[in-house]
Amino acid sequence: MASFLERPNQFLVVAALADGSIVQAHMADRGRLLTKLVPGAQLVLGHKPAEGRKTAYQVAGVYEGNELVSLDTGLPNRLVEAALRARALAPFAAYSHVEREVKHGASRFDFGLAPAPPTHAKRHGGDCPWLVEVKSVGDAAGGLALFPDAPTVRGRRHLLELAELHEQGRRTAVVFIVQRGDAQRVAVNRQIDPAFAETLALVASRGVEIYAYRCPLSLAGIQLAEQLPVEI
C-alpha cells in the first residue's frame, strides 16, 4: 500500500510507502480525465525492479472508499485472452483459435478468433472470421460503469471499421471489461465523448455485438464475473 502524492506526467506517479519512503511508480495511462488520483489516495503498487526499468514499482490499483479499482489498462487484454483460450466466455466458446493484435488495413484489433487452428503455419488476420476489440472501464457511479474517461477518436474509428467488416461477412464484437466490482451496468459517458456514444449505437444497429463483464479486483488479483447489460 502507498499514498498518492503527485502525478508528474501520464505515466509516472510519486507515492509514499507505509514506512514513509518516497518512490516513483510507472502507471499505464488511465486517461487524461482520471479523477481518482487525489492527494492521499490509497494505491496498490507492485514491486517490479528490473534492468532497463526507470522505476522499481508499478501502479496496480487505487481504492475508492472500500472498492479497489484497477489502473492497469493492459490487464483487460490479458484477462480476456486467458478467458478466450479457456473458452470461458460463452459468446466466444465455439472458437478455439485465438490470435492477438490482428492487423486489418491501417488498424489493429485486439483479437481474431477462428473455430479451429490454422492448417498453415500462421493464420493471418484476414482469415479470422471474428474480430474482437476490448475496452477497459474504470469509472463508475451508483452502479453504472462509464466509458471512456477521455475522448477517443481512435476508439470511434475502430467501431466504424468493425461495422464495415461485419457488413463484409465477419462477426465483430466490442467487449467492455469493468475493472471493479461495484458496477451493475455499463454506459458511454456522453458528457466526455458524445460522438463515441452515437457511434456505438450506430454500429450496434449495424450488427456489431456488444458485451460487458464485471471483473472485481482484490489484492489476490482480478476475476472474471458475470456479464453486464450495456446501455446503448
Side-chain angles (χ1 to χ4, degrees), residues 38-106:
V38 296
Q42 294 301 293
L43 303 176
V44 174
L45 303 183
H47 191 215
K48 292 187 174 181
E51 185 177 353
R53 282 181 61 97
K54 294 182 179 179
T55 63
Y57 292 88
Q58 180 78 31
V59 180
V62 61
Y63 278 96
E64 284 191 350
N66 294 324
E67 187 68 30
L68 181 57
V69 182
S70 172
L71 295 179
D72 183 352
T73 52
L75 183 56
N77 280 49
R78 299 195 298 272
L79 179 66
V80 170
E81 181 178 12
L84 290 172
R85 295 191 184 282
R87 299 193 182 188
L89 295 177
F92 312 101
Y95 291 76
S96 63
H97 177 72
V98 180
E99 190 173 323
R100 292 197 60 176
E101 295 292 322
V102 173
K103 192 174 187 300
H104 181 85

